[in-house]
Amino acid sequence: MTDLLIKICGISTEETMQATLDLGVDMVGLVFFPKSPRHVSLTQACKLADMARGKAKVVALTVNMDLDSLSRINELVAPDIFQFHGNETPEACAAAKVMYNKQVMKAVAISDRSDLEEALYYSIVADRLLFDAKPPKGSDLPGGNGVTFDWDLLKDLDLAKPFMLSGGLDASNVAQAITRSGATAVDVSSGVEREKGVKDIEKIRAFVAAARSVSPVAGE
């Protein structure tokens, strides 16, 4: 049995970062996507990453980003993990992994069982998969939409790589989500905000407590 991993994504202020680190979470996500209300500049990201270094894994979330911009993030922010949340191909994920010598996590949007087939291709090259709900119609954000999917789809999923559960999680449903999906890692962003892009420290604290109240049903 494996301890549950918790990732808080979309951190954009030093106050939120410090509070999150004090809770002992495993991963902190920095969003590099200008359309997102959680987007951070390279200057902000460098400060936040330095705060987290050695305390939690720093995850750089990007969406269909060009190699020059990825290289700049890698050089200046030095994340532990690149999270690709767009339409990046397995080949692009593999290339980034080799080029930057960093772990790669690939987000896969889920609405029904057929979407899991896509995960098989990415599981060959990615170090971890992140299952998120498909964005609602009209949304130009691939994640952080506060939408869930059928967690039972992931039960007994046989993948070569570990996965992280995301999409519409909050303190009220994360325990049920873990139990139903069998996830040993969870990710939250909008579910711990008081308004779009603004994290609520009390909601983060409640989410972490609720997630840790459940024992993972399976090891990675």
Side-chain angles (χ1 to χ4, degrees):
M1 188 166 290
T2 303
D3 289 339
L4 184 79
L5 297 181
I6 299 175
K7 173 173 171 273
I8 308 297
C9 197
I11 295 174
S12 58
T13 69
E14 293 179 37
E15 180 189 16
T16 303
M17 177 62 82
Q18 188 58 59
T20 301
L21 293 172
D22 289 344
L23 290 168
V25 303
D26 304 280
M27 299 180 187
V28 290
L30 305 177
V31 176
F32 299 90
F33 186 51
K35 289 183 179 180
S36 171
R38 305 162 189 98
H39 173 70
V40 289
S41 68
L42 281 172
T43 301
Q44 286 175 290
C46 288
K47 291 178 183 178
L48 295 170
D50 284 345
M51 289 178 68
R53 197 104 45 213
K55 299 171 185 173
K57 297 285 187 183
V58 177
V59 181
L61 185 158
T62 66
V63 180
N64 303 324
M65 184 174 279
D66 61 85
L67 284 176
D68 284 347
S69 299
L70 285 175
S71 296
R72 193 155 172 78
I73 292 172
N74 186 61
E75 179 184 349
L76 297 177
V77 182
D80 298 292
I81 302 167
F82 273 107
Q83 177 180 329
F84 296 131
H85 217 105
N87 301 315
E88 299 88 355
T89 63
E91 292 78 11
C93 294
K97 184 175 174 178
V98 172
M99 188 178 301
Y100 306 123
N101 193 29
K102 296 288 169 66
Q103 288 192 359
V104 167
M105 178 159 54
K106 179 66 180 79
V108 178
I110 300 292
S111 63
D112 56 49
R113 190 167 296 279
S114 64
D115 294 317
L116 292 174
E117 294 177 12
E118 182 182 2
L120 296 176
Y121 297 103
Y122 287 106
S123 68
I124 298 171
V125 295
D127 296 283
R128 183 185 293 272
L129 298 177
L130 181 144
F131 293 118
D132 198 355
K134 286 192 173 179
K137 287 183 178 179
S139 173
D140 55 1
L141 299 177
N145 293 295
V147 180
T148 62
F149 63 94
D150 182 1
W151 302 314
D152 293 324
L153 291 171
L154 304 180
K155 193 77 169 179
D156 301 320
L157 186 64
D158 185 18
L159 282 176
K161 301 292 173 63
F163 72 85
M164 178 168 278
L165 178 62
S166 187
L169 299 180
D170 57 31
S172 71
N173 66 14
V174 67
Q176 183 187 13
I178 293 168
T179 302
R180 283 175 51 187
S181 67
T184 56
V186 291
D187 169 80
V188 67
S189 186
S190 62
V192 290
E193 292 178 345
R194 57 176 174 265
E195 58 185 86
K196 278 193 176 180
V198 182
K199 292 289 185 283
D200 185 306
I201 292 170
E202 288 307 314
K203 287 187 176 184
I204 295 174
R205 187 173 286 112
F207 179 87
V208 171
R212 286 178 175 159
S213 72
V214 185
S215 296
V217 296
E220 291 186 11

